[in-house]
Amino acid sequence: DTAVSQTPKYLVTQMGNDKSIKCEQNLGHDTMYWYKQDSKKFLKIMFSYNNKELIINETVPNRFSPKSPDKAHLNLHINSLELGDSAVYFCASRVWREGEQFFGPGTRLTVL
Amino acid sequence: SQQGEEDPQALSIQEGENATMNCSYKTSINNLQWYRQNSGRGLVHLILIRSNEREKHSGRLRVTLDTSKKSSSLLITASRAADTASYFCATDGFDQGGSEKLVFGKGTKLTVNP
């Protein structure tokens, strides 16, 4: 069984479109994250939720809006996509303030 | 910035040799973690060392932490072709706003040649 899953795995879309990425974890964790990995493999945190509450919101454009309907799910909606949004987006989860994070397989977003 | 910096950026060795990767960081931390990322895949946690620990072992992995120098090293012994991947250190600590988060370094790309 996949611990942290993301859909879709690949997303190719035109500039200006709106798209969503979904993440689900079946580990019983209470904290979930979105990370962005750029073309140089640099991984940067975007958002963090604990028990459905937003606790970290890095300097991310307002076009990015995360939503956590419950502890096991964290979605990311992106409005008005731009070329610079092209990257791999990773979801991760862990027990609140306890060590290792478990990562999903990533969603490769390509904006044309 | 809390960001870790790995060194070297790339490392190519022969199977059976040892691989050493280093990580330096700038602020105080709760722990430091190492992750591996195979090409096109997600990150996999390898090992965590707490700020009050100096050395930790897990199988063929050995991690050291020197908080006075704000540095860590990851040693992979008797490397195998399957160890080929990118390796990231990540520091776990509190930012200026009091939020706890992992901050990743830029990674070391390890190639183990058969």
Side-chain angles (χ1 to χ4, degrees), chain A residues 93-106:
Chain A
S93 73
R94 73 168 175 180
V95 174
W96 173 242
R97 293 192 174 174
E98 273 192 25
E100 69 175 290
Q101 292 187 14
F102 292 77
F103 281 77

Side-chain angles (χ1 to χ4, degrees), chain A residues 3-60:
Chain A
V4 183
S5 59
Q6 293 179 228
T7 54
K9 190 165 170 61
Y10 300 97
L11 191 48
V12 181
T13 188
Q14 299 288 329
M15 254 191 336
N17 283 350
D18 304 338
K19 290 293 177 188
S20 291
I21 308 171
K22 296 189 175 186
C23 177
E24 176 181 2
Q25 53 95 5
N26 62 6
L27 298 166
H29 292 163
D30 52 6
T31 308
M32 296 184 72
Y33 305 83
W34 279 113
Y35 289 88
K36 179 180 180 181
Q37 187 173 45
D38 63 23
S39 57
K40 295 183 180 177
K41 302 294 186 190
F42 180 47
L43 195 71
K44 189 166 166 34
I45 190 167
M46 300 173 70
F47 300 103
S48 171
Y49 272 75
N50 175 251
N51 279 321
K52 302 191 296 174
E53 270 193 54
L54 180 67
I55 55 170
I56 292 176
N57 183 349
E58 293 291 288
T59 313
V60 178

Side-chain angles (χ1 to χ4, degrees), chain B residues 16-84:
Chain B
E17 293 179 341
N18 296 341
T20 299
M21 289 159 264
N22 301 298
C23 170
S24 60
Y25 58 93
K26 294 179 182 173
T27 63
S28 61
I29 61 173
N30 297 329
N31 63 70
L32 185 144
Q33 303 175 33
W34 285 89
Y35 287 80
R36 184 184 75 204
Q37 184 179 32
N38 288 80
S39 182
R41 310 291 279 273
L43 280 79
V44 174
H45 182 264
L46 295 176
I47 195 165
L48 178 155
I49 186 164
R50 300 194 187 283
S51 59
N52 61 354
E53 296 175 311
R54 291 297 165 258
E55 189 171 311
K56 205 158 181 184
H57 296 253
S58 175
R60 294 184 295 113
L61 305 179
R62 174 179 165 250
V63 169
T64 62
L65 178 64
D66 186 334
T67 52
S68 65
K69 293 181 180 175
K70 291 187 165 55
S71 68
S72 173
S73 68
L74 172 67
L75 168 69
I76 304 174
T77 60
S79 64
R80 305 165 181 166
D83 294 329
T84 294

